[in-house]
Amino acid sequence: MRTDPVIRVTKGAASMPTDQLVQKFRAVDTTAICDADKSIRVLDSAIRLRSAEPWILGPAFTVRCRGDFLAVLRAVETAAPGDVIVVDGGGAEIALAGELFARGALVRNLGGIIIDGGYRDIAYVRGCALPVYSRFVTPMAGTTAQLGELQIPVTCGGVEVCPGDLILADEEGVIVVEPDRIDWLLDAAAAVKDAEAELVALLDTGSTLSDGLNLAEHTAALNRGEPSTLRFLA
């Protein structure tokens, strides 16, 4: 069984030990993080999970290439354990990685591979323990004649990703977080999960959603043209 990768948080933002970071993310999910902050960068939902393991938490190791996968190979061999390879492939329907890259990333204990472009060898990848996300599945691979660019700001799934940004992913999708905000976001996401749990407990007793939300008050305020926020009731 694959263990959680070492998380190497760059930009000096994470003050807590890595195992605590992992534990805090495991206790929440990307939906709760997005509920805690609507400005979170979320990758296009067309960037889909291709592997058996969806869960990612690690710093981005960025790649930019066009129709050529040499830069992706270089990244797999250069990135540190726990790094997540994030590839700006221009959204082209051509494979920029496949089975061998996933196997190589596992050997080097990387945190995952995310490609805004194609991935192939899905017969292997769908059961792979390495988290793999891509926009397309296609058998046609790119060339190996261009160096590409490593560790620069890129665009992947419609959002900017900088080297060292934290990549978080689960069954819901992939998000990008500034490292210096991760502690606050995970704590805020935990508060969201706690409030949701209280509402679930109410629903389980036969109460309605309105019993746990300020729905009537919120609706009335909006009807009056006043600012309001839908919130959980304590």
Side-chain angles (χ1 to χ4, degrees):
M1 177 181 295
R2 181 169 176 260
T3 58
D4 289 325
V6 175
I7 309 300
R8 184 172 60 85
V9 180
T10 60
K11 300 184 181 178
S15 58
M16 66 173 58
T18 294
D19 57 345
Q20 292 184 23
L21 243 174
V22 171
Q23 183 178 9
K24 289 177 76 170
F25 181 41
R26 288 287 192 186
V28 295
D29 50 34
T30 56
T31 61
I33 295 173
C34 288
D35 285 349
D37 183 354
K38 297 298 185 183
S39 70
I40 289 291
R41 287 170 281 170
V42 180
L43 269 62
D44 190 330
S45 61
I47 307 294
R48 297 181 180 176
L49 178 67
R50 308 298 178 184
S51 58
E53 173 58 63
W55 193 87
I56 292 176
L57 170 57
F61 188 102
T62 60
V63 179
R64 179 184 292 150
C65 55
R66 294 293 183 269
D68 188 291
F69 62 82
L70 182 59
V72 185
L73 174 58
R74 293 171 57 212
V76 169
E77 291 299 288
T78 302
D83 281 354
V84 180
I85 306 298
V86 178
V87 181
D88 175 355
E93 195 167 350
I94 191 161
L96 299 174
E99 175 180 353
L100 297 180
F101 285 64
R103 289 184 182 274
L106 283 170
V107 169
R108 302 202 68 249
N109 200 28
L110 301 187
I113 298 176
I114 300 172
I115 296 184
D116 198 339
Y119 213 98
R120 69 178 192 174
D121 304 324
I122 296 302
Y124 166 78
V125 173
R126 70 165 56 100
C128 180
L130 180 82
V132 172
Y133 290 78
S134 72
R135 183 177 292 274
F136 302 107
V137 172
T138 176
M140 179 57 72
T143 59
T144 56
Q146 302 173 26
L147 288 174
E149 299 173 279
L150 304 181
Q151 292 293 69
I152 61 168
V154 300
T155 298
C156 184
V159 302
E160 183 181 57
V161 182
C162 295
D165 278 346
L166 284 178
I167 307 300
L168 292 80
D170 55 22
E171 293 89 345
E172 303 290 341
V174 184
I175 64 175
V176 185
V177 174
E178 297 91 339
D180 60 1
R181 302 186 67 232
I182 188 63
D183 288 343
W184 176 86
L185 281 169
L186 291 178
D187 288 342
V192 170
K193 296 295 286 186
D194 288 344
E196 289 177 343
E198 291 182 7
L199 181 53
V200 168
L202 277 176
L203 294 171
D204 285 346
T205 66
S207 296
T208 68
L209 289 171
S210 295
D211 292 326
L213 298 168
N214 68 328
L215 180 59
E217 174 188 341
H218 177 57
T219 301
L222 293 179
N223 280 329
R224 293 192 299 270
E226 299 172 358
S228 181
T229 301
L230 184 68
R231 57 180 174 78
F232 295 102
L233 298 176

